[in-house]
Amino acid sequence: MEEQPAKMGEPSVANIPIQMLAITDRNGRLTPLWFRFETEEHQIEKIGIEKTISRDESRCIGIREKRFICSAIIQDQRRILEIRYNVESQKWRIFQFLS
């Protein structure tokens, strides 16, 4: 089953697959820089991350994920969002919009 593109401005949207550019420091700590996604109109939109507010790691039902709370400007509005990185599948997604 193919995942559907999502609208970024909707606060209820969650689990949006994204392509991420991140860097790692010498200790292996990830820092997301920007991401891109496909809109409903099949356009690729790139969003820069202003700030990584917090980061941690979780394990839920055996799935290990790194969680990042970040701020970004999306459609001319500053948004706070939770981005997750699945360690096993190496896939990034927007888990939820916090504001």
Side-chain angles (χ1 to χ4, degrees):
M1 178 162 51
E2 188 173 321
E3 295 179 36
Q4 295 297 314
K7 292 182 181 179
M8 287 298 293
E10 296 177 359
S12 61
V13 172
N15 294 317
I16 301 169
I18 57 175
Q19 294 176 321
M20 176 66 73
L21 178 72
I23 59 171
T24 57
D25 64 16
R26 290 179 289 184
N27 297 321
R29 185 173 99 157
L30 278 170
T31 300
L33 297 178
W34 59 260
F35 62 90
R36 64 185 184 178
F37 65 97
E38 183 178 358
T39 66
E40 281 188 338
E41 297 79 27
H42 302 291
Q43 301 294 316
I44 301 297
E45 188 168 335
K46 179 180 168 185
I47 305 292
I49 294 174
E50 289 185 315
K51 181 179 181 181
T52 300
I53 299 166
S54 69
R55 67 185 83 221
D56 66 356
E57 192 167 317
S58 69
R59 184 177 295 269
C60 182
I61 314 172
I63 299 171
R64 192 170 138 221
E65 291 187 313
K66 294 186 181 283
R67 298 186 305 180
F68 302 88
I69 305 298
C70 301
S71 68
I73 303 295
I74 301 173
Q75 297 177 346
D76 298 325
Q77 293 183 356
R78 178 168 285 114
R79 304 289 302 268
I80 306 296
L81 51 145
E82 180 179 345
I83 297 172
R84 292 192 180 189
Y85 173 71
N86 183 305
V87 175
E88 283 79 29
S89 70
Q90 300 181 1
K91 292 183 180 180
W92 290 87
R93 64 193 166 107
I94 297 173
F95 181 71
Q96 67 180 332
F97 291 94
L98 302 172
S99 73

XYZ file of all heavy atoms in Angstrom:
828
model
N 0.846 -1.175 0.000
C 0.000 0.000 0.000
C 0.893 1.241 0.000
O 1.787 1.358 0.815
C -0.912 -0.008 1.223
C -1.767 1.216 1.267
S -3.223 1.141 2.343
C -2.617 0.603 3.886
N 0.644 2.163 -0.900
C 1.440 3.377 -1.040
C 0.930 4.452 -0.094
O -0.270 4.643 0.065
C 1.350 3.876 -2.490
C 2.292 5.016 -2.767
C 2.300 5.366 -4.242
O 2.250 4.453 -5.069
O 2.351 6.565 -4.535
N 1.872 5.190 0.550
C 1.491 6.253 1.465
C 1.065 7.480 0.671
O 1.636 7.796 -0.364
C 2.666 6.605 2.371
C 3.047 5.458 3.280
C 4.216 5.800 4.167
O 4.308 6.955 4.601
O 5.021 4.900 4.407
N 0.062 8.175 1.171
C -0.469 9.356 0.509
C 0.288 10.600 0.949
O 0.631 10.720 2.118
C -1.952 9.529 0.840
C -2.821 8.411 0.312
C -2.809 8.346 -1.196
O -2.942 9.345 -1.877
N -2.630 7.156 -1.726
N 0.550 11.552 0.018
C 1.141 12.815 0.425
C 0.205 13.559 1.374
O -1.003 13.359 1.345
C 1.299 13.591 -0.887
C 1.071 12.620 -1.976
C 0.311 11.462 -1.396
N 0.756 14.414 2.216
C -0.051 15.098 3.226
C 0.044 16.600 3.085
O 0.965 17.120 2.469
C 0.420 14.681 4.604
N -0.927 17.301 3.655
C -0.910 18.758 3.708
C -0.144 19.174 4.959
O -0.469 18.743 6.063
C -2.336 19.309 3.768
C -3.114 19.090 2.503
C -4.488 19.704 2.626
C -5.298 19.467 1.372
N -6.638 20.024 1.487
N 0.839 20.041 4.785
C 1.702 20.394 5.905
C 1.066 21.373 6.873
O 1.424 21.418 8.018
C 3.014 20.990 5.384
C 3.914 19.970 4.769
S 4.425 18.717 5.943
C 5.427 19.695 7.018
N 0.131 22.200 6.460
C -0.412 23.213 7.337
C -1.448 22.710 8.328
O -1.844 23.438 9.213
N -1.883 21.494 8.198
C -2.946 20.971 9.048
C -2.367 20.424 10.347
O -1.529 19.528 10.333
C -3.694 19.856 8.312
C -4.404 20.349 7.076
C -5.088 19.223 6.325
O -4.992 18.057 6.759
O -5.714 19.522 5.314
N -2.810 20.947 11.489
C -2.253 20.495 12.761
C -2.562 19.049 13.099
O -1.868 18.440 13.875
C -2.864 21.448 13.784
C -3.986 22.107 13.105
C -3.756 22.011 11.629
N -3.585 18.464 12.523
C -3.954 17.086 12.855
C -3.155 16.053 12.064
O -3.225 14.870 12.364
C -5.443 16.883 12.600
O -5.724 17.104 11.238
N -2.397 16.484 11.067
C -1.650 15.548 10.239
C -0.484 14.969 11.045
O 0.212 15.678 11.749
C -1.114 16.255 8.976
C -0.172 15.359 8.198
C -2.262 16.696 8.092
N -0.300 13.659 10.964
C 0.819 13.001 11.648
C 1.356 11.881 10.761
O 0.706 11.457 9.818
C 0.355 12.451 12.987
N 2.551 11.421 11.105
C 3.198 10.325 10.391
C 3.421 10.622 8.910
O 3.088 9.822 8.054
C 2.429 9.017 10.586
C 2.479 8.561 12.018
O 3.523 8.620 12.657
N 1.356 8.141 12.540
N 3.995 11.779 8.628
C 4.297 12.175 7.256
C 5.725 11.727 6.933
O 6.670 12.165 7.583
C 4.187 13.706 7.091
C 2.790 14.174 7.461
C 4.565 14.115 5.674
C 2.666 15.680 7.590
N 5.905 10.857 5.938
C 7.261 10.445 5.566
C 8.008 11.624 4.944
O 7.438 12.384 4.158
C 7.045 9.325 4.562
C 5.665 9.520 4.042
C 4.882 10.226 5.112
N 9.277 11.766 5.318
C 10.081 12.881 4.812
C 11.469 12.386 4.432
O 11.913 11.332 4.884
C 10.203 14.019 5.853
C 10.790 13.507 7.170
C 8.864 14.704 6.064
C 11.058 14.577 8.212
N 12.128 13.174 3.591
C 13.543 12.995 3.309
C 14.270 14.015 4.172
O 13.903 15.194 4.180
C 13.855 13.264 1.843
C 13.238 12.267 0.904
C 13.517 12.643 -0.546
O 13.489 13.808 -0.913
N 13.791 11.646 -1.359
N 15.284 13.587 4.899
C 15.966 14.455 5.858
C 17.436 14.602 5.516
O 18.083 13.622 5.124
C 15.833 13.851 7.264
C 16.565 14.599 8.349
S 15.930 16.249 8.676
C 14.405 15.860 9.526
N 17.942 15.815 5.697
C 19.382 16.041 5.681
C 19.764 16.346 7.124
O 19.222 17.268 7.735
C 19.777 17.213 4.786
C 21.280 17.494 4.801
C 22.028 16.399 4.049
C 21.591 18.838 4.233
N 20.638 15.526 7.680
C 21.079 15.683 9.068
C 22.593 15.529 9.113
O 23.197 14.949 8.205
C 20.415 14.631 9.954
N 23.178 16.061 10.168
C 24.614 15.890 10.374
C 24.835 15.139 11.673
O 23.958 15.099 12.539
C 25.360 17.246 10.395
C 24.816 18.143 11.518
C 25.283 17.934 9.063
C 25.623 19.394 11.749
N 26.003 14.543 11.797
C 26.377 13.909 13.048
C 27.670 14.542 13.539
O 28.526 14.926 12.743
C 26.600 12.396 12.891
O 27.591 12.173 11.893
C 25.328 11.688 12.502
N 27.794 14.663 14.857
C 29.048 15.160 15.409
C 29.998 13.982 15.626
O 29.675 12.841 15.282
C 28.811 15.973 16.686
C 28.223 15.164 17.826
O 28.251 13.921 17.773
O 27.734 15.785 18.786
N 31.146 14.226 16.177
C 32.145 13.166 16.367
C 31.673 12.068 17.309
O 32.185 10.963 17.276
C 33.449 13.762 16.892
C 34.151 14.606 15.839
C 35.401 15.177 16.389
N 34.998 16.213 17.362
C 35.830 16.986 18.009
N 37.108 16.860 17.844
N 35.382 17.895 18.847
N 30.683 12.363 18.138
C 30.143 11.366 19.070
C 28.944 10.619 18.501
O 28.335 9.809 19.200
C 29.751 12.039 20.385
C 30.948 12.649 21.075
O 32.027 12.073 21.080
N 30.772 13.831 21.627
N 28.557 10.905 17.258
C 27.442 10.220 16.621
C 26.081 10.831 16.893
O 25.062 10.270 16.515
N 26.037 12.002 17.528
C 24.758 12.668 17.822
C 24.202 13.302 16.551
O 24.872 14.095 15.900
C 24.969 13.730 18.891
C 23.689 14.373 19.349
C 23.965 15.267 20.511
N 24.048 16.639 20.019
C 23.851 17.703 20.764
N 23.628 17.578 22.043
N 23.915 18.897 20.249
N 22.963 12.931 16.201
C 22.296 13.452 14.998
C 21.709 14.838 15.252
O 21.139 15.080 16.319
C 21.140 12.545 14.592
C 21.454 11.296 13.794
C 20.219 10.419 13.697
C 21.944 11.652 12.417
N 21.812 15.710 14.247
C 21.148 17.007 14.272
C 20.476 17.216 12.914
O 21.157 17.316 11.895
C 22.145 18.151 14.538
O 22.777 17.925 15.799
C 21.445 19.495 14.555
N 19.143 17.259 12.873
C 18.445 17.496 11.598
C 18.633 18.943 11.143
O 18.592 19.860 11.958
C 16.983 17.203 11.924
C 16.867 17.167 13.399
C 18.223 17.014 13.977
N 18.846 19.137 9.827
C 19.055 20.475 9.266
C 17.875 20.941 8.419
O 17.434 22.068 8.542
C 20.329 20.515 8.425
C 21.631 20.242 9.157
C 22.797 20.278 8.176
C 21.832 21.237 10.280
N 17.427 20.094 7.505
C 16.253 20.416 6.683
C 15.637 19.114 6.200
O 16.266 18.073 6.224
C 16.574 21.360 5.531
C 17.602 20.915 4.531
C 18.919 21.303 4.491
C 17.432 20.038 3.393
N 19.563 20.701 3.434
C 18.671 19.932 2.735
C 16.359 19.331 2.892
C 18.852 19.158 1.601
C 16.534 18.555 1.760
C 17.773 18.488 1.130
N 14.365 19.224 5.784
C 13.687 18.054 5.237
C 12.869 18.479 4.025
O 12.611 19.656 3.802
C 12.805 17.364 6.281
C 11.683 18.204 6.829
C 10.446 18.208 6.214
C 11.870 18.973 7.966
C 9.408 18.973 6.720
C 10.837 19.734 8.490
C 9.610 19.739 7.861
N 12.473 17.483 3.251
C 11.582 17.749 2.116
C 10.559 16.631 2.035
O 10.756 15.533 2.549
C 12.346 17.944 0.825
C 13.115 16.769 0.338
C 13.921 17.140 -0.884
N 14.579 15.956 -1.401
C 15.320 15.938 -2.476
N 15.501 17.048 -3.158
N 15.867 14.830 -2.888
N 9.450 16.976 1.389
C 8.319 16.049 1.292
C 7.558 16.369 0.018
O 7.739 17.423 -0.592
C 7.405 16.179 2.514
C 6.733 17.525 2.594
C 5.454 17.703 2.126
C 7.413 18.619 3.105
C 4.845 18.945 2.179
C 6.829 19.865 3.160
C 5.541 20.031 2.695
N 6.675 15.451 -0.368
C 5.845 15.644 -1.554
C 4.473 16.147 -1.132
O 3.824 15.563 -0.268
C 5.702 14.329 -2.320
C 4.918 14.478 -3.606
C 4.822 13.192 -4.391
O 5.408 12.169 -3.960
O 4.150 13.196 -5.432
N 4.017 17.236 -1.738
C 2.704 17.797 -1.441
C 1.619 17.027 -2.206
O 1.919 16.180 -3.055
C 2.627 19.279 -1.845
O 2.730 19.377 -3.272
C 3.729 20.101 -1.181
N 0.364 17.354 -1.910
C -0.751 16.735 -2.640
C -0.694 17.051 -4.134
O -1.180 16.284 -4.950
C -2.085 17.221 -2.085
C -2.482 16.545 -0.818
C -3.899 16.903 -0.412
O -4.423 17.953 -0.848
O -4.489 16.125 0.347
N -0.101 18.204 -4.472
C 0.025 18.605 -5.877
C 1.258 17.988 -6.528
O 1.647 18.372 -7.623
C 0.093 20.135 -5.983
C -1.158 20.849 -5.508
C -1.240 20.961 -3.984
O -0.188 20.978 -3.318
O -2.367 21.012 -3.464
N 1.913 17.056 -5.827
C 3.106 16.343 -6.306
C 4.290 17.284 -6.530
O 5.117 17.043 -7.393
C 2.789 15.520 -7.558
C 1.700 14.531 -7.325
N 1.852 13.419 -6.524
C 0.410 14.514 -7.751
C 0.714 12.747 -6.482
N -0.177 13.382 -7.213
N 4.349 18.328 -5.723
C 5.493 19.222 -5.712
C 6.386 18.834 -4.534
O 5.896 18.366 -3.509
C 5.044 20.684 -5.553
C 4.104 21.173 -6.640
C 4.779 21.230 -7.996
O 5.908 21.689 -8.109
N 4.093 20.758 -9.015
N 7.679 19.048 -4.688
C 8.612 18.798 -3.589
C 8.826 20.125 -2.860
O 9.197 21.120 -3.463
C 9.961 18.257 -4.102
C 9.756 16.953 -4.869
C 10.938 18.082 -2.949
C 9.193 15.814 -4.054
N 8.552 20.116 -1.545
C 8.732 21.308 -0.728
C 9.850 21.049 0.269
O 9.904 19.996 0.902
C 7.441 21.648 0.016
C 7.528 22.975 0.719
C 6.189 23.478 1.210
O 5.152 23.092 0.647
O 6.192 24.254 2.168
N 10.748 22.021 0.393
C 11.890 21.914 1.305
C 11.677 22.858 2.489
O 11.345 24.022 2.311
C 13.174 22.279 0.566
C 14.416 22.216 1.426
C 15.634 22.603 0.602
C 16.826 22.845 1.476
N 17.977 23.328 0.709
N 11.878 22.341 3.704
C 11.677 23.114 4.930
C 12.968 23.080 5.748
O 13.469 21.999 6.077
C 10.533 22.520 5.781
C 9.234 22.389 4.992
C 10.348 23.306 7.069
C 8.590 23.693 4.601
N 13.493 24.259 6.074
C 14.675 24.348 6.923
C 14.287 24.299 8.390
O 13.267 24.868 8.789
N 15.069 23.611 9.175
C 14.829 23.539 10.610
C 15.580 24.677 11.275
O 16.788 24.808 11.117
C 15.261 22.172 11.168
C 14.358 21.096 10.576
C 15.232 22.159 12.692
C 14.735 19.695 10.915
N 14.835 25.524 11.988
C 15.441 26.666 12.668
C 16.257 26.236 13.877
O 17.359 26.725 14.100
C 14.363 27.635 13.156
C 13.677 28.400 12.094
C 12.731 29.412 12.693
O 11.978 29.084 13.627
O 12.779 30.550 12.216
N 15.665 25.337 14.672
C 16.296 24.979 15.938
C 15.838 23.595 16.376
O 14.667 23.248 16.228
C 15.894 26.002 16.998
C 16.497 25.777 18.358
C 16.052 26.868 19.308
C 16.676 26.656 20.679
N 16.249 27.679 21.631
N 16.770 22.817 16.905
C 16.424 21.567 17.554
C 16.270 21.881 19.034
O 17.234 22.225 19.714
C 17.501 20.494 17.335
O 17.631 20.262 15.936
C 17.144 19.192 18.029
N 15.040 21.801 19.528
C 14.724 22.186 20.904
C 15.108 21.091 21.891
O 15.662 21.366 22.946
C 13.229 22.542 21.019
C 12.924 23.722 20.094
C 12.828 22.820 22.455
C 11.450 23.967 19.853
N 14.801 19.846 21.542
C 15.175 18.728 22.407
C 15.343 17.474 21.570
O 14.881 17.404 20.432
C 14.144 18.498 23.512
O 12.939 18.009 22.973
N 15.997 16.499 22.169
C 16.218 15.208 21.504
C 16.288 14.125 22.569
O 16.776 14.368 23.670
C 17.478 15.243 20.655
C 18.735 15.364 21.457
C 19.988 15.522 20.615
N 20.134 16.910 20.237
C 20.524 17.319 19.041
N 20.836 16.464 18.118
N 20.603 18.590 18.759
N 15.758 12.967 22.232
C 15.879 11.805 23.102
C 15.658 10.552 22.271
O 15.488 10.628 21.057
C 14.942 11.870 24.305
C 13.464 11.794 23.959
O 13.122 11.756 22.764
O 12.641 11.766 24.878
N 15.683 9.414 22.932
C 15.493 8.149 22.235
C 14.432 7.350 22.977
O 14.339 7.415 24.201
C 16.808 7.375 22.188
C 16.778 6.204 21.257
C 18.156 5.635 20.972
O 19.090 6.407 20.758
O 18.256 4.389 20.962
N 13.603 6.613 22.224
C 12.564 5.800 22.842
C 12.555 4.410 22.226
O 13.064 4.203 21.129
C 11.191 6.461 22.666
O 10.800 6.413 21.314
N 11.956 3.499 22.951
C 11.744 2.142 22.455
C 10.310 1.786 22.802
O 9.943 1.712 23.968
C 12.712 1.164 23.091
C 12.592 -0.235 22.534
C 13.610 -1.171 23.143
N 14.970 -0.814 22.816
C 15.646 -1.286 21.758
N 15.056 -2.131 20.930
N 16.888 -0.925 21.530
N 9.492 1.608 21.780
C 8.084 1.282 21.970
C 7.771 0.043 21.138
O 8.018 0.032 19.926
C 7.211 2.459 21.540
S 5.458 2.178 21.781
N 7.288 -0.981 21.767
C 6.962 -2.264 21.124
C 8.180 -2.779 20.341
O 8.065 -3.263 19.229
C 5.726 -2.141 20.208
C 4.609 -1.392 20.907
C 5.232 -3.525 19.781
C 3.440 -1.062 20.009
N 9.359 -2.585 20.914
C 10.582 -3.069 20.285
C 11.126 -2.196 19.172
O 12.139 -2.530 18.566
N 10.463 -1.082 18.872
C 10.920 -0.180 17.811
C 11.734 0.937 18.448
O 11.231 1.696 19.262
C 9.733 0.390 17.012
C 8.961 -0.738 16.340
C 10.217 1.407 15.988
C 7.660 -0.310 15.719
N 12.995 1.035 18.055
C 13.891 2.052 18.585
C 13.847 3.285 17.689
O 14.092 3.180 16.486
C 15.309 1.501 18.654
C 16.245 2.354 19.434
C 17.562 1.621 19.652
N 18.624 2.575 19.446
C 19.751 2.349 18.826
N 20.000 1.160 18.326
N 20.647 3.285 18.696
N 13.503 4.439 18.278
C 13.418 5.681 17.515
C 14.140 6.807 18.241
O 14.121 6.872 19.473
C 11.964 6.104 17.302
C 11.201 5.197 16.381
C 9.828 5.724 16.061
O 9.102 6.132 16.986
O 9.479 5.727 14.871
N 14.734 7.684 17.453
C 15.287 8.933 17.978
C 14.217 9.992 17.736
O 13.658 10.081 16.647
C 16.581 9.292 17.271
C 17.688 8.280 17.559
C 18.999 8.710 16.984
C 20.072 7.689 17.260
N 20.583 7.711 18.596
N 13.918 10.793 18.793
C 12.869 11.811 18.704
C 13.497 13.198 18.795
O 14.351 13.436 19.643
C 11.860 11.629 19.827
C 11.141 10.308 19.766
C 10.048 10.197 20.776
N 10.551 10.449 22.134
C 9.795 10.407 23.208
N 8.517 10.148 23.116
N 10.306 10.632 24.401
N 13.034 14.079 17.933
C 13.520 15.451 17.895
C 12.332 16.402 17.951
O 11.390 16.245 17.172
C 14.300 15.721 16.602
C 15.483 14.800 16.417
C 15.339 13.576 15.790
C 16.730 15.162 16.881
C 16.417 12.725 15.622
C 17.821 14.317 16.713
C 17.656 13.098 16.086
N 12.378 17.366 18.858
C 11.402 18.457 18.866
C 12.114 19.634 18.207
O 13.188 20.053 18.658
C 10.953 18.828 20.297
C 10.427 17.597 21.033
C 9.921 19.953 20.254
C 9.205 16.953 20.421
N 11.528 20.134 17.120
C 12.179 21.162 16.309
C 11.218 22.301 16.006
O 10.005 22.118 16.005
C 12.645 20.571 14.980
S 13.808 19.206 15.144
N 11.793 23.468 15.706
C 10.977 24.574 15.193
C 11.371 24.807 13.743
O 12.543 24.659 13.361
C 11.174 25.845 16.031
O 12.471 26.354 15.872
N 10.374 25.151 12.939
C 10.575 25.394 11.508
C 9.509 26.368 11.025
O 8.426 26.456 11.615
C 10.486 24.090 10.729
N 9.826 27.085 9.963
C 8.848 27.965 9.326
C 8.166 27.161 8.219
O 8.816 26.729 7.273
C 9.510 29.230 8.739
C 10.266 30.006 9.817
C 8.465 30.092 8.034
C 9.401 30.591 10.901
N 6.859 26.954 8.379
C 6.067 26.196 7.406
C 4.901 27.073 6.986
O 4.110 27.499 7.828
C 5.566 24.870 8.010
C 6.759 24.020 8.462
C 4.696 24.117 7.011
C 6.381 22.775 9.220
N 4.818 27.354 5.702
C 3.769 28.218 5.141
C 3.697 29.535 5.914
O 2.635 29.955 6.364
C 2.426 27.493 5.125
C 2.432 26.279 4.242
C 1.140 25.510 4.262
O 0.281 25.708 5.116
N 0.974 24.626 3.289
N 4.855 30.181 6.064
C 4.986 31.497 6.712
C 4.595 31.503 8.182
O 4.298 32.558 8.732
C 4.196 32.563 5.948
C 4.706 32.735 4.530
O 5.934 32.615 4.318
O 3.891 32.994 3.637
N 4.559 30.363 8.843
C 4.252 30.279 10.274
C 5.310 29.445 10.970
O 5.721 28.405 10.454
C 2.890 29.619 10.512
C 1.716 30.408 10.040
C 0.408 29.695 10.380
O 0.395 28.590 10.904
N -0.699 30.342 10.072
N 5.722 29.896 12.160
C 6.650 29.097 12.955
C 5.862 27.958 13.590
O 4.860 28.174 14.245
C 7.321 29.944 14.029
C 8.268 29.113 14.905
C 9.149 29.954 15.785
N 10.196 30.564 14.958
C 10.313 31.872 14.735
N 9.463 32.721 15.262
N 11.286 32.338 13.990
N 6.317 26.745 13.356
C 5.653 25.555 13.887
C 6.645 24.761 14.726
O 7.831 24.708 14.416
C 5.151 24.649 12.752
C 4.207 25.289 11.731
C 2.839 25.594 12.285
N 2.138 24.457 12.814
C 1.297 23.692 12.129
N 1.043 23.955 10.861
N 0.699 22.670 12.705
N 6.127 24.134 15.769
C 6.908 23.202 16.571
C 6.436 21.808 16.191
O 5.235 21.534 16.183
C 6.712 23.437 18.089
C 6.991 24.893 18.456
C 7.568 22.471 18.903
C 8.414 25.342 18.229
N 7.365 20.927 15.850
C 6.982 19.603 15.412
C 7.888 18.549 16.014
O 9.023 18.832 16.398
C 6.983 19.505 13.888
C 8.220 19.971 13.146
C 8.443 19.096 11.942
C 7.988 21.391 12.681
N 7.349 17.357 16.125
C 8.122 16.216 16.589
C 8.473 15.366 15.376
O 7.598 14.902 14.651
C 7.318 15.384 17.590
C 8.084 14.186 18.104
C 7.310 13.366 19.115
O 6.289 13.856 19.637
O 7.737 12.222 19.362
N 9.775 15.193 15.175
C 10.287 14.391 14.069
C 10.918 13.139 14.670
O 11.596 13.214 15.694
C 11.336 15.189 13.264
C 10.688 16.422 12.640
C 11.984 14.307 12.200
C 11.663 17.369 11.999
N 10.664 12.003 14.051
C 11.233 10.744 14.555
C 12.048 10.050 13.472
O 11.704 10.090 12.294
C 10.127 9.816 15.037
C 9.445 10.347 16.278
C 8.576 9.323 16.909
N 7.931 9.856 18.098
C 7.248 9.124 18.937
N 7.099 7.823 18.725
N 6.684 9.677 19.990
N 13.116 9.424 13.939
C 14.001 8.636 13.075
C 13.987 7.197 13.577
O 14.344 6.921 14.721
C 15.423 9.193 13.128
C 16.437 8.360 12.399
C 16.441 8.296 11.014
C 17.394 7.643 13.092
C 17.377 7.533 10.333
C 18.342 6.875 12.425
C 18.320 6.827 11.051
O 19.248 6.070 10.378
N 13.539 6.280 12.733
C 13.509 4.865 13.071
C 14.900 4.294 12.828
O 15.389 4.281 11.697
C 12.466 4.140 12.214
C 12.337 2.683 12.575
O 13.304 1.938 12.569
N 11.111 2.280 12.870
N 15.539 3.834 13.890
C 16.926 3.378 13.816
C 17.058 2.146 12.926
O 17.999 2.046 12.125
C 17.486 3.121 15.229
C 18.890 2.535 15.172
C 17.464 4.410 16.046
N 16.138 1.192 13.022
C 16.237 -0.042 12.248
C 15.967 0.185 10.753
O 16.709 -0.280 9.910
C 15.290 -1.108 12.800
C 15.795 -1.776 14.069
C 15.586 -0.925 15.328
O 14.630 -0.113 15.376
O 16.386 -1.066 16.264
N 14.892 0.904 10.418
C 14.538 1.106 9.004
C 15.270 2.295 8.385
O 15.260 2.453 7.176
C 13.026 1.314 8.849
O 12.634 2.566 9.374
N 15.859 3.146 9.226
C 16.563 4.356 8.798
C 15.646 5.308 8.034
O 16.060 5.980 7.099
C 17.806 4.004 7.972
C 18.794 3.179 8.740
C 20.030 2.855 7.951
O 20.192 3.263 6.802
N 20.935 2.104 8.549
N 14.378 5.397 8.472
C 13.404 6.292 7.843
C 13.031 7.408 8.803
O 12.930 7.205 10.010
C 12.147 5.523 7.428
C 12.415 4.554 6.295
C 11.142 3.867 5.875
C 11.430 2.903 4.733
N 10.216 2.214 4.293
N 12.809 8.594 8.231
C 12.402 9.783 8.970
C 10.926 10.062 8.709
O 10.417 9.787 7.619
C 13.193 10.988 8.500
C 14.641 10.993 8.867
C 15.663 10.433 8.157
C 15.246 11.622 9.996
N 16.851 10.664 8.787
C 16.624 11.397 9.914
C 14.736 12.353 11.073
C 17.519 11.885 10.869
C 15.629 12.839 12.016
C 17.000 12.597 11.913
N 10.262 10.656 9.720
C 8.868 11.066 9.535
C 8.542 12.189 10.515
O 9.152 12.302 11.583
C 7.910 9.905 9.761
C 7.933 9.374 11.182
C 7.218 8.037 11.278
N 7.509 7.387 12.538
C 6.661 7.273 13.534
N 5.438 7.766 13.427
N 6.997 6.672 14.649
N 7.591 13.013 10.117
C 7.017 13.967 11.062
C 5.982 13.183 11.843
O 5.005 12.692 11.277
C 6.370 15.174 10.358
C 7.423 15.965 9.596
C 5.655 16.068 11.384
C 6.859 17.066 8.742
N 6.203 13.044 13.137
C 5.296 12.271 13.963
C 4.055 13.073 14.312
O 2.937 12.589 14.230
C 6.005 11.808 15.233
C 5.150 10.987 16.132
C 4.781 9.701 15.789
C 4.692 11.512 17.331
C 3.982 8.935 16.623
C 3.891 10.756 18.171
C 3.526 9.479 17.815
N 4.255 14.356 14.721
C 3.120 15.204 15.050
C 3.531 16.663 15.056
O 4.693 16.986 15.209
C 2.527 14.817 16.410
C 3.450 15.087 17.575
C 2.834 14.682 18.891
O 1.617 14.690 19.030
N 3.641 14.335 19.860
N 2.530 17.531 14.890
C 2.702 18.974 15.041
C 2.311 19.340 16.459
O 1.218 18.983 16.918
C 1.816 19.732 14.044
C 2.278 19.563 12.629
C 1.744 18.577 11.829
C 3.263 20.393 12.104
C 2.173 18.420 10.526
C 3.697 20.248 10.795
C 3.146 19.250 10.009
N 3.177 20.028 17.158
C 2.897 20.425 18.528
C 2.313 21.831 18.603
O 1.692 22.205 19.599
C 4.148 20.319 19.386
C 4.760 18.896 19.404
C 6.107 18.905 20.105
C 3.811 17.928 20.057
N 2.548 22.639 17.590
C 1.927 23.972 17.502
C 1.836 24.400 16.053
O 2.450 23.848 15.192
C 2.718 25.002 18.291
O 3.920 25.311 17.627
